[in-house]
């Protein structure tokens, strides 16, 4: 029986491990190898090892765009998460207000942006909201007598437009998580706090936030990862094939894609991938230190 | 009425107004698309902000279903989603079970590695996969894309279902063992039925992921006959805006409806399913 236990679990996980090994781990290793070569469009087959040259180019030369993409990604992630958590908290508080009978209806309606396929939402926004000719925003501006704006042309406009869209798409998830967490807080705490004379802010600061924190940490970490690696919005809004909007704002993920599939700098793009992977490992280790695995 | 009560009523009314506004704002992009898809194409583009077209027409819907290869796109997406689900779930269920039930050497290491790999965006190694697929002639093939999707979905599935398996008491299995059930029998007849909610949610999330994925499908499937819904819509949208925008809205609505239905059906489990996996991770 005992010897079988040594063997059986591996038999169960082997198919999964083989799949992951072939399609996830091996390509990462291969990416690492490509990052050490001068592979590009002209050297598709006859590439050779050039050592750490690609890493030097990416990390040290400002004009290669990696550093600015990294900065943009960090600002992007922080801003999005802060706004999401803040706004979602207050909306969820509102949804849980005593006596709000229509809360369920509001919740259902607010779910829609989350349930739409992401690429559909993004393309709908690109043509339906942001477009200079028939976009909704420009129709409003025209109705108010203001001239048309190209929301995706400049870097700052494009960044803000992408952020608005990302919030639209991501807030429902955060609101639902907050709502679920809020419902688990014991109401009797508030009663006694009120008796002690605590106001709205004090109640939230000392009861609500500490109570929902442990439930929300995993959700926020998960959202941070998704926001950090958000590719679709930036790519589909500003840089799809043959439809560049004029903005040059990039996150590191779009930067990697751009260098691999548009500029054909396979070596450089792979080097950046490996650097990003390094960040992710450090970040995950840091994040998981607090969360213990049961024995 | 006491002052307190009046304040409460006023507060609630304000809250209701506020939420009505929030909901309308949140739904504008969708309502706008619906109204365009029902309108007579170009007329809607010129006119104002009205959300209900002057005459309701289903011309765009019939055009997308009959004139465009929409059914072909659906077929391709269905093959990819179904195939990915079978491969990913087939490998993930047994693995999640083993990780949850057995304590063996290397268990923690493998789990931690899977967790980190789960955070790694597959886009970053997309070029390497592309090159490998080109070498092995897997571009433009269902098999290649299914394996590529299944790899990342398998990791997600293992973590998500392991969290749920952990909550099923071992005693039930021990009882079955005493009654003479073999390891495979226990897995098939005892554990899987008990874990059905987690398995359904995970499977549906795999389906949704593939249904929604466009980057790999547009990069790896280059023939028109291989286009998925995402690739098809992408191409519709990138054509001349003025003519294809109502058509595109109709297609977008059609693609979203099945997903919306599925989503609202499993929504309740979704949050608990996700947090269960997340807390343990």
């Amino acid at each position: 029986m005992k010897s079988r236990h040594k063997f059986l679990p591996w038999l169960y996980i082997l198919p999964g491990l083989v799949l992951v090994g072939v399609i996830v781990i091996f390509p990462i290793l291969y990416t690492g190898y490509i990052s050490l070569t001068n592979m590009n469009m002209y050297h598709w087959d006859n590439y050779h090892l050039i050592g750490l040259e690609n890493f030097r180019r990416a990390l040290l030369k400002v004009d290669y765009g990696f550093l600015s993409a990294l900065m943009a990604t960090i600002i992007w992630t922080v801003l999005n998460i802060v706004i999401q958590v803040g706004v979602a908290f207050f909306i969820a508080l509102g949804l849980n207000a005593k006596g709000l009978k229509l809360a369920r209806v509001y919740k259902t309606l607010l779910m829609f942006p989350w349930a739409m396929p992401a690429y559909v939402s993004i393309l709908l926004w690109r043509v339906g909201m942001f477009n200079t000719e028939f976009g909704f925003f420009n129709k409003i501006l025209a109705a108010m007598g203001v001239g048309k704006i190209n929301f995706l042309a400049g870097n700052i406009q494009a960044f803000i437009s992408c952020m608005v869209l990302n919030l639209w798409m991501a807030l429902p998830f955060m609101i639902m998580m907050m709502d679920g967490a809020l419902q688990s807080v014991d109401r009797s705490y508030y009663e006694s706090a009120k008796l002690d004379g605590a106001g709205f802010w004090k109640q939230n600061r000392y009861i609500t936030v500490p109570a929902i924190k442990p439930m929300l940490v995993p959700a926020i970490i998960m959202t941070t990862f998704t926001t950090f690696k958000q590719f679709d919005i930036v790519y589909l809004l500003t840089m799809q094939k043959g439809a560049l909007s004029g903005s040059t704002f990039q996150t590191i993920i779009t930067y990697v894609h751009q260098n691999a599939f548009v500029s054909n700098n396979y070596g450089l793009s792979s080097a950046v991938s490996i650097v990003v992977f390094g960040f992710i490992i450090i970040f995950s280790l840091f994040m998981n230190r607090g969360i213990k695995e049961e024995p | 009425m006491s002052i307190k009560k009046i304040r409460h009523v006023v507060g609630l009314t304000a809250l209701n107004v506020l939420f009505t506004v929030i909901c309308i704002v949140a739904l504008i992009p969708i309502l706008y698309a619906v109204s365009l898809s029902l309108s007579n194409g170009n007329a809607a583009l010129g006119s104002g902000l009205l959300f209900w077209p002057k005459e309701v027409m289903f011309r765009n819907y019939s055009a997308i279903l009959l004139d465009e290869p929409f059914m072909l796109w659906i077929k391709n997406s269905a093959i990819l989603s179904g195939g990915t689900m079978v491969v990913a779930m087939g490998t993930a269920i047994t693995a999640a079970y083993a990780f949850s039930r057995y304590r063996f050497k290397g268990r923690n290491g493998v789990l931690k590695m899977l967790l980190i790999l789960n955070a790694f965006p597959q886009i970053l190694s997309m070029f390497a996969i592309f090159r490998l697929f080109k070498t092995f002639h897997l571009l433009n093939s269902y098999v290649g894309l299914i394996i590529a999707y299944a790899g990342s979905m398998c990791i997600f599935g293992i973590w998500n279902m392991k969290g749920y398996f952990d909550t099923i008491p071992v005693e039930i299995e021990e009882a079955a063992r005493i009654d003479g059930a073999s390891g495979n029998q226990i897995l098939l007849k005892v554990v899987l039925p008990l874990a059905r909610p987690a398995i359904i949610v995970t499977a549906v999330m795999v389906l949704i992921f593939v249904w929604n994925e466009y980057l790999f499908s547009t990069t790896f499937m280059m023939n028109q006959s291989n286009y998925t819904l995402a690739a098809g819509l992408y191409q519709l949208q990138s054509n001349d805006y003025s003519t294809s925008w109502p058509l595109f809205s109709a297609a977008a609505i059609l693609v979203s409806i099945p997903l919306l239905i599925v989503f609202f059906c499993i929504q309740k489990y979704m949050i608990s399913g996700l947090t269960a996996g997340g807390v343990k991770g």
Side-chain angles (χ1 to χ4, degrees):
Chain A
M1 201 68 183
K2 239 187 177 173
S3 63
R4 232 186 67 185
H5 265 225
K6 251 186 195 164
F7 170 70
L8 195 64
W10 286 103
L11 192 71
Y12 278 151
I13 61 175
L14 198 65
L17 278 190
V18 170
L19 181 67
V20 172
V22 169
I23 208 68
V24 181
I25 299 178
F26 183 67
I28 293 176
L29 297 177
Y30 191 42
T31 304
Y33 172 69
I34 296 172
S35 73
L36 302 174
T37 70
N38 67 339
M39 193 189 289
N40 59 31
M41 201 163 46
Y42 311 105
H43 300 93
W44 176 264
D45 281 321
N46 58 342
Y47 55 88
H48 56 90
L49 287 168
I50 53 166
L52 296 174
E53 174 63 20
N54 287 315
F55 288 89
R56 202 179 61 78
R57 267 168 69 186
L59 293 173
L60 300 178
K61 284 202 180 167
V62 178
D63 53 329
Y64 272 100
F66 169 70
L67 292 174
S68 58
L70 180 65
M71 271 312 288
T73 313
I74 292 172
I75 299 173
W76 162 265
T77 312
V78 171
L79 273 181
N80 268 300
I81 293 294
V82 169
I83 298 177
Q84 259 181 62
V85 171
V87 173
F89 179 70
F90 285 105
I91 290 186
L93 267 190
L95 285 172
N96 278 289
K98 232 190 209 166
L100 191 73
K101 292 206 182 78
L102 291 172
R104 285 183 67 101
V105 178
Y106 297 139
K107 263 184 230 175
T108 311
L109 290 178
L110 288 175
M111 290 316 287
F112 273 85
W114 180 18
M116 298 274 286
Y119 72 91
V120 167
S121 306
I122 300 167
L123 296 179
L124 275 182
W125 272 72
R126 178 175 170 124
V127 264
M129 297 279 115
F130 292 133
N131 189 279
T132 349
E133 294 306 318
F134 1 92
F136 184 75
F137 291 138
N138 271 319
K139 282 195 172 176
I140 292 185
L141 289 179
M144 295 192 313
V146 185
K148 286 176 172 163
I149 293 178
N150 189 344
F151 289 98
L152 303 170
N155 284 349
I156 303 217
Q157 283 122 287
F159 185 90
I160 295 171
S161 302
C162 289
M163 215 163 82
V164 169
L165 174 51
N166 187 55
L167 288 172
W168 185 80
M169 287 169 58
L171 264 171
F173 173 73
M174 198 53 101
I175 293 172
M176 289 308 123
M177 288 292 181
M178 292 268 180
D179 182 61
L182 282 179
Q183 274 168 10
S184 70
V185 183
D186 193 344
R187 292 265 158 186
S188 62
Y189 289 129
Y190 293 106
E191 311 278 317
S192 51
K194 257 184 224 161
L195 286 179
D196 290 342
F200 176 76
W201 292 108
K202 275 204 168 153
Q203 283 177 34
N204 280 322
R205 172 140 165 40
Y206 294 106
I207 302 174
T208 317
V209 173
I212 63 175
K213 213 163 128 190
M215 299 185 70
L216 285 178
V217 168
I220 293 177
I221 293 176
M222 225 160 71
T223 317
T224 310
F225 273 118
T226 8
T227 315
F228 176 81
K229 60 185 186 188
Q230 176 57 256
F231 170 84
D232 306 8
I233 293 180
V234 181
Y235 177 76
L236 285 181
L237 276 191
T238 69
M239 47 200 294
Q240 15 172 328
K241 254 177 247 162
L244 297 173
S245 73
S247 131
T248 54
F249 141 66
Q250 302 246 28
T251 67
I252 23 185
I253 310 286
T254 62
Y255 179 81
V256 167
H257 181 266
Q258 166 103 7
N259 274 300
F261 286 93
V262 182
S263 331
N264 304 312
N265 284 324
Y266 310 126
L268 181 66
S269 132
S270 300
V272 175
S273 293
I274 295 299
V275 172
V276 175
F277 194 34
F279 278 134
I280 289 173
I281 292 178
I282 295 169
F283 192 58
S284 329
L285 291 179
F286 183 70
M287 283 297 177
N288 285 316
R289 219 170 39 182
I291 305 167
K292 276 183 203 128
E293 166 70 20
E294 77 273 51
Chain B
M1 256 202 275
S2 67
I3 295 182
K4 214 175 156 192
K5 209 162 182 190
I6 294 172
R7 270 186 61 180
H8 186 65
V9 171
V10 171
L12 270 184
T13 317
L15 211 54
N16 274 311
V17 172
L18 181 71
F19 270 113
T20 312
V21 172
I22 292 178
C23 287
I24 291 174
V25 170
L27 292 178
I28 280 179
I30 303 171
L31 295 175
Y32 192 49
V34 171
S35 98
L36 265 183
S37 72
L38 291 172
S39 71
N40 175 10
N42 305 328
L45 296 174
S47 66
L49 301 167
L50 279 181
F51 270 122
W52 197 247
K54 279 184 199 124
E55 43 173 342
V56 174
M57 298 183 69
F58 290 90
R59 209 184 60 185
N60 295 313
Y61 287 91
S62 59
I64 191 82
L65 288 171
L66 302 174
D67 305 343
E68 300 283 338
F70 195 73
M71 288 308 178
L72 176 75
W73 301 338
I74 290 204
K75 192 193 88 187
N76 287 332
S77 281
I79 292 175
L80 287 175
S81 312
T84 306
M85 191 190 76
V86 170
V87 177
M89 296 302 284
T91 50
I93 289 177
T94 54
Y97 176 73
F99 280 123
S100 167
R101 283 296 183 261
Y102 298 99
R103 297 292 172 263
F104 50 93
K105 235 184 174 177
R107 173 180 175 277
N108 274 332
V110 177
L111 272 176
K112 283 221 175 83
M113 182 192 74
L114 289 178
L115 193 65
I116 289 177
L117 289 178
N118 194 29
F120 181 75
Q122 219 180 359
I123 303 175
L124 292 182
S125 54
M126 192 164 100
F127 172 69
I129 300 175
F130 187 86
R131 208 183 143 92
L132 289 170
F133 276 21
K134 194 159 191 178
T135 316
F136 292 104
H137 304 289
L138 284 169
L139 292 176
N140 287 319
S141 94
Y142 294 124
V143 177
L145 205 49
I146 286 175
I147 301 175
Y149 288 146
S152 58
M153 283 293 100
C154 174
I155 302 177
F156 163 77
I158 290 176
W159 264 102
N160 215 38
M161 288 187 291
K162 177 193 163 289
Y164 197 90
F165 284 150
D166 286 344
T167 64
I168 301 175
V170 195
E171 287 75 16
I172 299 176
E173 285 169 52
E174 279 164 358
R177 183 155 292 150
I178 290 168
D179 289 345
S182 70
N184 283 331
Q185 274 177 328
I186 291 175
L187 182 58
L188 283 175
K189 299 217 170 116
V190 181
V191 180
L192 290 192
L194 283 173
R196 210 169 61 188
I199 292 173
I200 291 174
V201 171
T202 314
V204 170
M205 302 223 333
V206 172
L207 284 179
I208 292 180
F209 170 82
V210 180
W211 198 257
N212 288 350
E213 209 285 330
Y214 77 92
L215 187 63
F216 274 73
S217 74
T218 50
T219 313
F220 287 41
M221 295 291 208
M222 289 165 290
N223 295 340
Q224 295 250 343
S225 61
N226 283 333
Y227 273 12
T228 60
L229 281 170
L233 258 71
Y234 184 85
Q235 170 220 299
L236 257 188
Q237 168 271 163
S238 62
N239 288 345
D240 183 22
Y241 286 156
S242 54
T243 52
S244 60
W245 169 212
L247 206 63
F248 170 75
S249 328
I253 305 291
L254 281 181
V255 174
S256 306
I257 287 173
L259 196 70
L260 285 169
I261 295 172
V262 170
F263 188 89
F264 281 104
C265 287
I266 65 153
Q267 173 204 339
K268 247 210 274 181
Y269 309 99
M270 206 136 154
I271 288 166
S272 64
L274 281 170
T275 36
V279 173
K280 301 272 161 41

